[in-house]
Amino acid sequence: MHRVFQSFVDGLAANGDANSLRTVLADAGAALDLSCFAYLSMSPRRGGVPELISNYPVEWTDHYLREHYERVDPVIAVALAGTEPFEWGQEFAAKRLSKSQCALLDEAAQFGIRCGFTVPIHDSRGPVAAVTFAADERRPTFQRCIEQNRSVLQLMAMYFHAHARRRLSINRVIDGVALSPREFECLEWAAQGKSAWEIGRLLNISRRTAAFHLDNAKMKFGVRTICQAVAKLAASKSISE
């Protein structure tokens, strides 16, 4: 476990963008037989889109964000209410869930997300993020890993959040406009001549989601084309240099 944790910390220190951070946590999880994870960071703006770094199926994460499922997700509800890590899955059967919450869990199960271990992350302002390690069923290896490494997984989640928040918030204010981490990332790839389809492949998101973030960047800048938005980005970099 010590070697896995050290490699994880070294990887965080050496990488910066969301795709690299995803790889670091995926590698650490795979070494512990925890192959499925999601980091969800709440938006500081009411009604804003949360930041999601995950290796869940893209079809599910796109649908989750598009439908604003973080607002009804019972796992997120528990994470918002307390600071202690918790396991979930069959435990929800004994709770009184709403129809929308039950529907969400049924949809997640179709993508192999049926149980998990979630670490809530709170700061002085309250709940800000959650890291979840999920599985399609509670196998002995999964359960044993959670039981033996509970405190280390919590520490890894906190390290990951600290790096993600710091790395993804750097230099995202352009010409007085604050872009989300994903908007900024998509725009940087567009500046390198990548299409929405290519950006989607690079960031493990769908073409539609990449186009959505690029459209948001255009709207925030008050421009009509991606080229104009890229020009804003290039101008801000030349000034800072």
Side-chain angles (χ1 to χ4, degrees):
M1 184 62 197
H2 174 77
R3 184 178 299 175
V4 173
F5 183 76
Q6 188 61 57
S7 296
F8 170 74
V9 173
D10 291 343
L12 290 179
N15 294 285
D17 61 26
N19 206 36
S20 298
L21 292 173
R22 179 188 303 109
T23 299
V24 171
L25 189 51
D27 288 347
L32 298 172
D33 289 321
L34 301 173
S35 60
C36 198
F37 78 88
Y39 164 78
L40 185 75
S41 180
M42 316 305 174
S43 172
R45 296 182 296 107
R46 186 172 183 177
V49 178
E51 177 68 18
L52 179 63
I53 300 176
S54 168
N55 64 352
Y56 287 177
V58 175
E59 295 83 0
W60 170 241
T61 54
D62 280 355
H63 180 61
Y64 186 102
L65 293 176
R66 189 166 56 247
E67 298 297 325
H68 296 286
Y69 274 172
E70 75 280 358
R71 300 175 185 175
V72 298
D73 190 338
V75 176
I76 297 302
V78 176
L80 293 176
T83 60
E84 290 300 312
F86 60 94
E87 296 180 51
W88 55 269
Q90 293 181 342
E91 293 83 356
F92 284 131
K95 297 180 181 293
R96 298 183 63 181
L97 301 181
S98 67
K99 288 184 178 180
S100 58
Q101 288 177 320
C102 290
L104 184 153
L105 292 176
D106 287 342
E107 287 186 63
Q110 295 176 23
F111 291 93
I113 303 167
R114 295 185 174 87
C115 62
F117 174 74
T118 295
V119 179
I121 300 169
H122 293 229
D123 63 15
S124 58
R125 298 169 298 165
V128 292
V131 174
T132 293
F133 297 95
D136 59 348
E137 63 178 286
R138 195 164 288 173
R139 294 186 176 88
T141 53
F142 179 87
Q143 193 66 39
R144 186 164 53 250
C145 179
I146 298 302
E147 292 173 355
Q148 294 178 349
N149 303 300
R150 192 181 188 93
S151 60
V152 178
L153 291 173
Q154 183 178 18
L155 186 59
M156 288 173 64
M158 295 174 70
Y159 264 87
F160 188 85
H161 169 68
H163 278 266
R165 181 171 59 179
R166 183 171 66 252
R167 299 277 186 171
L168 301 182
S169 64
I170 296 174
N171 298 326
R172 289 193 286 105
V173 178
I174 300 171
D175 198 20
V177 174
L179 298 179
S180 73
R182 191 63 91 186
E183 290 163 358
F184 183 82
E185 200 171 17
C186 288
L187 193 58
E188 279 204 312
W189 281 114
Q192 297 183 41
K194 303 298 183 182
S195 67
W197 182 84
E198 291 171 317
I199 293 171
R201 293 291 299 273
L202 287 164
L203 301 183
N204 195 36
I205 59 178
S206 69
R207 183 209 64 79
R208 180 178 177 181
T209 298
F212 169 77
H213 291 302
L214 290 171
D215 286 342
N216 281 349
K218 288 191 300 181
M219 182 179 65
K220 287 182 177 181
F221 286 139
V223 299
R224 292 187 174 184
T225 68
I226 296 298
C227 289
Q228 290 172 322
V230 166
K232 292 269 190 181
L233 175 65
S236 71
K237 287 189 174 183
S238 64
I239 292 173
S240 63
E241 293 171 357

